[in-house]
Amino acid sequence: MAGGKIKKEKIKHGGICAAGGQHFQGGISFHKSKGQHILKNPLLVDSIVQKSGIKPTDTVLEIGPGTGNLTKKLLEAGKNVIAVELDPRMVLELQRRFQGTPLSNRLKVIQGDVLKCDLPYFDICVANIPYQISSPLTFKLLAHRPLFRCAVIMFQREFAMRLVAQPGDTLYCRLSVNTQLLSRISHLLKVGRNNFRPPPKVDSSVVRIEPRKPLPPVNFKEWDGLVRICFNRKNKTLGSIFRQKSVLSLLEKNYKTLQALQLSQDGSSNDAEMAMAVSALGNTLGDLNMDADEKDDEEMDLDDANAKSSEFKDKVLNVLKQGNFEERRASKLAQADFMHLLSLFNKAGIHFS
């Protein structure tokens, strides 16, 4: 039996057994703790491949191929598949499954952690990923060069809804703003938990991510610095947020440092700098991007009286007044609004990185 001998287990229903909470396929046990949930619905697999728009000339990147149910369809649709798999048991199963078939010479398997390994060139990414790596993987892909055409990825449903959330939506957050700056994102389909073996505790969604080409002309570190502050309490007014002692101290320190060094920051960053900043961002957002905006608003500490420099505070607040942002909230601001606000701060010599 592929994957080794299983003792004292009753195998039934196509090689799946729930005895002792274990799940098997072809003799391989799946570990929920490692995010191993294998798609078992063939109609769903076909639908994902169809919606991916794979061309016969495409190199497809698959992350976490498991036992190869999706891999087989990807090989049939594209030119070749590069599969990145952490579990050596799954790597062995993949190799056994396709060994001696016409598809074997078009499959390359990389054993390793997708977050740590260098990804080769690919045209499109199609993946059912471990949900605990959703945020860092999303930004690692968006930082990949050369840019790929699109990625079609299965996420935990709440994470997917954050990716596509619009201004005013409950789940609109820093994750939404940053991913939508770098890519066009669309929700393709909802996937119930019973489509997986073993079933996860949550429903899932398939999302399409298309990197923007060309990338927006913005210094990404500056951009994320502004967005991070604004979404610290996304339902508070920007006037309240930028009156906080901690925010004013940070901005004034940046302001004085730049003045002392007589440096002027460029309004945009080159492609390599942006890629590095984007890749690093995923590790700051958390698994489901539970940013500070999820906390109780009463925790926010405003301190008008103790700001180090009332003159600098006036400078900051004048920028907000100039753009009519003082009474607006991050939860309602669109991409163009953040772009405008960042340009106003930068023109005033106020920077976020």
Side-chain angles (χ1 to χ4, degrees):
M1 181 180 292
K5 186 177 180 181
I6 303 297
K7 296 181 179 180
K8 299 180 181 179
E9 299 287 358
K10 295 180 181 179
I11 306 299
K12 57 183 179 179
H13 302 307
I16 305 305
C17 177
Q22 293 293 320
H23 298 256
F24 299 93
Q25 179 170 331
I28 294 181
S29 59
F30 300 142
H31 302 300
K32 288 185 178 182
S33 62
K34 296 180 180 179
Q36 292 179 343
H37 301 278
I38 309 300
L39 273 174
K40 67 178 184 179
N41 185 340
L43 294 179
L44 181 58
V45 172
D46 289 341
S47 179
I48 291 173
V49 174
Q50 180 185 2
K51 291 179 180 294
S52 299
I54 299 172
K55 300 176 182 177
T57 56
D58 279 344
T59 293
V60 184
L61 174 69
E62 185 184 11
I63 299 161
T67 56
N69 293 343
L70 178 58
T71 312
K72 183 175 183 294
K73 297 294 184 179
L74 297 177
L75 284 166
E76 292 170 351
K79 181 180 179 181
N80 49 60
V81 172
I82 301 166
V84 183
E85 174 59 60
L86 180 62
D87 191 336
R89 302 171 308 143
M90 298 296 181
V91 171
L92 181 60
E93 181 65 19
L94 274 177
Q95 292 169 340
R96 287 176 173 173
R97 179 169 185 169
F98 296 105
Q99 187 175 14
T101 72
L103 301 176
S104 62
N105 62 354
R106 297 196 284 111
L107 173 64
K108 177 183 179 182
V109 182
I110 299 174
Q111 182 180 337
D113 185 339
V114 69
L115 298 180
K116 297 178 181 178
C117 66
D118 293 329
L119 298 177
Y121 172 86
F122 62 94
D123 299 294
I124 185 170
C125 175
V126 184
N128 168 29
I129 66 169
Y131 293 154
Q132 60 264 33
I133 67 169
S134 295
S135 183
L137 177 63
T138 297
F139 288 98
K140 174 161 186 165
L141 290 175
L142 289 173
H144 184 73
R145 298 296 183 269
L147 289 170
F148 52 94
R149 189 168 76 250
C150 79
V152 175
I153 303 179
M154 182 95 66
F155 290 116
Q156 182 174 334
R157 181 161 175 79
E158 184 180 341
F159 185 89
M161 292 299 96
R162 287 172 179 266
L163 288 177
V164 300
Q166 297 298 306
D169 293 348
T170 302
L171 292 177
Y172 187 63
C173 60
R174 184 170 151 232
L175 175 68
S176 319
V177 174
N178 279 312
T179 50
Q180 291 172 30
L181 172 76
L182 301 167
S183 61
R184 296 177 181 85
I185 306 177
S186 53
H187 182 271
L188 297 182
L189 66 150
K190 181 179 178 180
V191 181
R193 63 197 74 182
N194 291 329
N195 289 284
F196 298 91
R197 181 183 296 130
K201 295 181 180 179
V202 295
D203 289 330
S204 305
S205 282
V206 179
V207 170
R208 182 184 181 91
I209 301 173
E210 298 178 66
R212 294 188 185 275
K213 302 175 185 178
L215 290 167
V218 63
N219 183 311
F220 192 75
K221 286 184 178 180
E222 282 284 290
W223 167 273
D224 186 54
L226 168 64
V227 170
R228 186 191 297 251
I229 289 173
C230 291
F231 276 95
N232 188 44
R233 291 294 184 273
K234 70 177 183 180
N235 292 314
K236 288 289 184 181
T237 65
L238 296 185
S240 296
I241 291 172
F242 281 92
R243 283 185 173 90
Q244 291 180 81
K245 179 181 178 181
S246 58
V247 173
L248 288 169
S249 296
L250 172 66
L251 296 182
E252 187 169 17
K253 181 180 178 181
N254 289 347
Y255 181 75
K256 290 181 176 179
T257 300
L258 288 170
Q259 279 200 325
L261 296 175
Q262 295 184 333
L263 294 179
S264 62
Q265 294 205 356
D266 192 346
S268 62
S269 54
N270 64 43
D271 193 51
E273 290 174 341
M274 177 173 275
M276 289 180 64
V278 170
S279 182
L281 177 62
N283 296 319
T284 72
L285 288 170
D287 296 339
L288 261 179
N289 190 46
M290 294 301 187
D291 283 337
D293 59 74
E294 299 298 320
K295 299 177 183 177
D296 190 340
D297 280 337
E298 292 180 1
E299 293 178 10
M300 187 169 72
D301 177 27
L302 299 181
D303 192 337
D304 287 300
N306 295 325
K308 289 184 179 180
S309 168
S310 60
E311 182 180 342
F312 182 77
K313 184 177 73 173
D314 291 342
K315 186 178 184 70
V316 170
L317 297 181
N318 283 337
V319 170
L320 296 177
K321 292 175 182 177
Q322 180 185 348
N324 295 317
F325 283 105
E326 196 170 22
E327 297 301 319
R328 301 188 68 182
R329 292 165 169 78
S331 60
K332 303 291 180 64
L333 295 184
Q335 296 281 325
D337 297 319
F338 284 110
M339 285 278 196
H340 184 206
L341 180 57
L342 180 60
S343 69
L344 291 176
F345 271 122
N346 287 172
K347 287 177 182 177
I350 299 170
H351 294 274
F352 296 84
S353 65

